[in-house]
Amino acid sequence: MFLSGAGMTVEKINMTCDICGKKKATVHLTEIVDEQMSEMHLCEECARQKNTQMEQQFGLADLLAGLSDTSKPPASKEGEKNVLKCSRCGLLYEDFRKFGRLGCGECYTSFKEHLNGLLRKIHGSNKYMGKTPSKYQENQMAPLSEGTIAFLPSEDLLDLKKQLHSAVAAEDFEKAAVIRDKIKKIATP
Amino acid sequence: MRIEELLNHTGEWLRGTGPSAHIVMSSRVRLARNLEAWTFPGKSGKKDLEAILKTFEEAVNHISALKGSTLFQMTELDQVDRQMLVERHLMSHEHASNPEGKGLLVAAEEVVSIMINEEDHLRIQVMRSGLNLSEAWDIINAIDDALAHELTFAFSPSCGFLTACPTNTGTAMRGSVMMHLPALVMTKQINKVLAAISKLSFASRGFYGEGTQASGNFYQISNQVALGHSELDIIQNINGLIRQVIEQEEQARQALLLQNKPMLEDKVCRSFGLLKTARIISSQEAIEFFSMVRLGLDMGILKHVDHKALNELFIMIQPAHLQKIEGKKLNAFERDTKRAAVIRQKLGGKDV
């Protein structure tokens, strides 16, 4: 599309909506899937509907990769009802799987076995390295410390992370991607 | 502050200067925080949401860094007002669409803004001009410390800050940088660059944030990972990546000059001429021409255009802003006309 002239955009002004085919398209969407680009031209109303659809899809898609294999609720024991839910807010684990949102801080403890693997999949690690609020520094017995997740990186992982850094520094993105995938593999049981 | 007063100026982060401002328009750092005492907003009823808002308001009164800021209650604003706050990058679409129990704190010069009761109780953001994530982090870190002194956040030593969405769990920090990459687009290298970015676990989005397409060659690049690294590490990683993208864009700009300088100059100058004379213009079209004018400025093809005025136009030409400027509701056609008038005025186009 090198230096395409003004003609292209003039064309856009008179476009009608790809969905309803009636109203003027004022919203222009570009989707990139596997480097394939597709364009959609929508009127405001159809765009709003499409947006709601996409949000729902995205909320799920974010998580599906992580949830599909590791986080099925445990099999029921001796006829016990298989309903895993948060002891504080009552969120069902099933609903978390559907909508991808947790209900309260306690969910992290109630669903910890499932979240452990999920967090590792999403972030490539589940070890927290960030800041600690002053109140939690003073008080060693922090409210949610009990039974939460710990994960120590292996020597291999540290080595791979170093390699990743140098690959990125050398702008070798292909190599970096390969190393990244290796890290993901190690970080996932 | 009344919401109309925002119209008299734009955010400090649009001033168009700062490190690598020729390619990086702005830097943003965002933190998500939840209060230990309540369930997350999605699981809280109206009364709880109002109590959370009240608790936050009281906490803010004790924080000197947030003196002089304004707290907007979403239910007290109409749809156009809320849309206007979204267009200024002060809050998300999601925050505007369902106003019940929600608030927005806007601090001086729009450097700091805090959404209350979006997906998490607090979403704090700091915006800076140019590539300046470290400075944004310093500011937001201090505000977060001050808030943590007044409020008890949901936090676990092993998981970090606890958020509604597990993609934020940990530092709950997102650093993002708005980049202008016209030469990478024109030389058809952009998909390669975006693919590399996504392989490295960074996300790229359009000018108006989550779920929007890239328009006018603007791309917002942000980290995806919030565990396994400290906040400063994450910021350094983004900086490292952004510097490489900057270098690629610079090379592509040089290549364009070598390849066909007159054609590039023609494209830039035509775009400028069009913006100064058009009578009807869609936002998509306007942003494409802004992109070309901006490129012309940054490459020295155009000299007498005010960078800041150009940046401000990105905000002013959006639907809610146009309607606030006009003082009434405008349909799509009326907006296109008003938009053209605002641009002509701002860029000093004489009525011909």
Side-chain angles (χ1 to χ4, degrees):
Chain A
M1 211 178 57
F2 177 52
L3 299 181
S4 65
M8 202 191 97
T9 34
V10 171
E11 202 181 303
K12 271 190 183 157
I13 291 180
N14 298 319
M15 269 181 183
T16 50
C17 173
D18 287 348
I19 292 180
C20 67
K22 287 175 197 153
K23 290 190 195 130
K24 191 182 139 185
T26 53
V27 178
H28 308 277
L29 279 175
T30 309
E31 268 181 318
I32 301 175
V33 180
D34 295 334
E35 293 183 41
Q36 287 292 309
M37 207 167 80
S38 64
E39 278 191 45
M40 280 195 98
H41 308 281
L42 309 172
C43 70
E44 277 183 41
E45 210 172 295
C46 295
R48 206 163 291 138
Q49 277 180 15
K50 172 98 180 152
N51 192 31
T52 318
Q53 278 173 22
M54 288 205 319
E55 269 174 19
Q56 283 165 359
Q57 262 178 26
F58 276 131
L60 291 175
D62 271 352
L63 291 166
L64 279 178
L67 283 168
S68 55
D69 49 350
T70 54
S71 48
K72 282 212 177 92
S76 54
K77 284 175 206 161
E78 294 159 24
E80 223 178 50
K81 265 204 170 172
N82 180 22
V83 181
L84 181 57
K85 69 175 185 181
C86 173
S87 57
R88 179 179 171 191
C89 72
L91 177 78
L92 296 174
Y93 185 69
E94 268 310 303
D95 283 343
F96 167 63
R97 287 191 70 194
K98 257 183 239 158
F99 302 108
R101 296 294 181 273
L102 295 155
C104 69
E106 190 63 25
C107 288
Y108 281 85
T109 311
S110 297
F111 306 146
K112 92 178 174 247
E113 280 165 39
H114 305 293
L115 285 176
N116 190 353
L118 179 63
L119 289 173
R120 205 183 299 151
K121 278 205 169 179
I122 294 172
H123 300 281
S125 159
N126 59 9
K127 188 172 165 60
Y128 180 59
M129 308 281 283
K131 68 186 283 191
T132 300
S134 54
K135 280 182 190 165
Y136 288 82
Q137 287 167 5
E138 291 154 17
N139 179 3
Q140 293 295 307
M141 289 299 290
L144 285 148
S145 62
E146 204 184 313
T148 33
I149 307 151
F151 173 69
L152 290 171
S154 65
E155 289 293 314
D156 286 356
L157 195 58
L158 290 174
D159 190 34
L160 282 170
K161 281 193 173 164
K162 269 184 204 154
Q163 285 181 33
L164 180 63
H165 261 282
S166 29
V168 173
E171 294 185 42
D172 193 346
F173 296 126
E174 291 299 317
K175 188 179 167 194
V178 172
I179 300 169
R180 219 207 108 70
D181 289 345
K182 275 191 198 165
I183 292 176
K184 273 195 172 167
K185 249 188 194 161
I186 291 184
T188 313
Chain B
M1 180 173 64
R2 291 182 326 123
I3 193 159
E4 281 71 23
E5 287 171 40
L6 288 175
L7 276 180
N8 301 332
H9 48 82
T10 46
E12 193 274 344
W13 58 274
L14 282 162
R15 67 175 200 270
T17 55
S20 302
H22 64 306
I23 291 172
V24 177
M25 192 169 181
S26 60
S27 303
R28 186 185 81 126
V29 175
R30 183 222 74 190
L31 294 176
R33 297 289 185 256
N34 284 291
L35 309 186
E36 225 279 316
W38 279 277
T39 53
F40 299 157
K43 264 279 182 190
S44 295
K46 191 179 167 211
K47 275 208 175 124
D48 281 348
L49 294 177
E50 281 164 4
I52 291 158
L53 204 49
K54 191 106 199 106
T55 306
F56 172 76
E57 197 175 359
E58 278 161 19
V60 165
N61 287 335
H62 296 119
I63 296 174
S64 57
L66 294 174
K67 280 246 153 57
S69 47
T70 307
L71 181 65
F72 296 104
Q73 311 264 350
M74 284 303 118
T75 45
E76 286 169 14
L77 302 177
D78 68 17
Q79 196 252 330
V80 174
D81 286 344
R82 297 200 298 268
Q83 186 57 35
M84 181 179 142
L85 296 170
V86 175
E87 291 175 358
R88 297 179 84 83
H89 293 228
L90 292 170
M91 65 183 218
S92 64
H93 286 281
E94 151 67 22
H95 207 54
S97 59
N98 187 6
E100 192 124 295
K102 292 189 166 84
L104 176 75
L105 185 94
V106 180
E109 294 192 292
E110 299 174 47
V111 172
V112 183
S113 67
I114 304 178
M115 286 190 277
I116 303 105
N117 290 331
E118 206 236 27
E119 186 180 288
D120 296 298
H121 292 142
L122 305 180
R123 286 283 180 101
I124 313 161
Q125 79 162 22
V126 168
M127 303 275 292
R128 299 310 283 155
S129 183
L131 180 58
N132 223 334
L133 286 171
S134 312
E135 200 182 293
W137 164 250
D138 288 342
I139 297 171
I140 208 166
N141 191 27
I143 288 171
D144 179 51
D145 284 346
L147 282 166
H149 191 261
E150 302 295 327
L151 304 162
T152 305
F153 290 143
F155 176 85
S156 116
S158 55
C159 289
F161 293 93
L162 307 177
T163 53
C165 184
T167 55
N168 293 316
T169 312
T171 60
M173 184 190 80
R174 196 140 289 172
S176 59
V177 171
M178 185 69 70
M179 303 194 83
H180 183 223
L181 305 173
L184 286 174
V185 173
M186 286 186 219
T187 56
K188 297 186 175 173
Q189 296 180 81
I190 190 72
N191 284 355
K192 209 178 76 187
V193 172
L194 294 181
I197 287 170
S198 85
K199 275 183 186 167
L200 292 167
S201 277
F202 290 87
S204 55
R205 302 193 169 90
F207 185 70
Y208 300 111
E210 200 149 346
T212 66
Q213 66 145 7
S215 52
N217 308 318
F218 286 90
Y219 296 85
Q220 188 181 304
I221 295 167
S222 59
N223 66 298
Q224 295 281 72
V225 164
L227 279 166
H229 300 272
S230 71
E231 289 88 350
L232 278 173
D233 271 355
I234 294 171
I235 281 169
Q236 266 175 17
N237 286 344
I238 308 173
N239 274 337
L241 177 76
I242 298 300
R243 285 207 191 92
Q244 283 168 39
V245 180
I246 290 172
E247 227 168 82
Q248 304 256 342
E249 170 67 19
E250 278 170 346
Q251 283 170 13
R253 286 182 185 187
Q254 287 314 308
L256 283 180
L257 271 185
L258 284 172
Q259 202 179 330
N260 204 335
K261 192 177 176 194
M263 216 163 158
L264 184 66
E265 288 172 338
D266 180 68
K267 174 108 174 148
V268 165
C269 294
R270 272 171 186 266
S271 300
F272 190 42
L274 223 139
L275 287 171
K276 285 203 295 186
T277 53
R279 290 299 191 268
I280 302 169
I281 194 163
S282 70
S283 52
Q284 167 91 10
E285 193 186 12
I287 286 177
E288 279 171 25
F289 292 136
F290 289 163
S291 168
M292 282 305 109
V293 170
R294 204 189 141 99
L295 179 66
L297 262 177
D298 293 332
M299 295 181 72
I301 297 168
L302 294 174
K303 288 189 182 70
H304 305 290
V305 186
D306 181 8
H307 230 129
K308 186 166 176 265
L310 193 63
N311 278 351
E312 286 175 353
L313 275 174
F314 281 96
I315 305 297
M316 307 305 274
I317 61 149
Q318 297 171 79
H321 274 82
L322 293 172
Q323 295 179 72
K324 292 299 281 188
I325 293 168
E326 187 70 14
K328 61 171 191 181
K329 282 234 164 213
L330 299 172
N331 65 31
F333 180 77
E334 291 166 336
R335 291 203 300 268
D336 287 355
T337 318
K338 180 69 188 171
R339 182 177 296 116
V342 167
I343 295 170
R344 286 203 308 278
Q345 196 204 358
K346 195 96 177 162
L347 294 182
K350 296 271 183 303
D351 280 328
V352 283

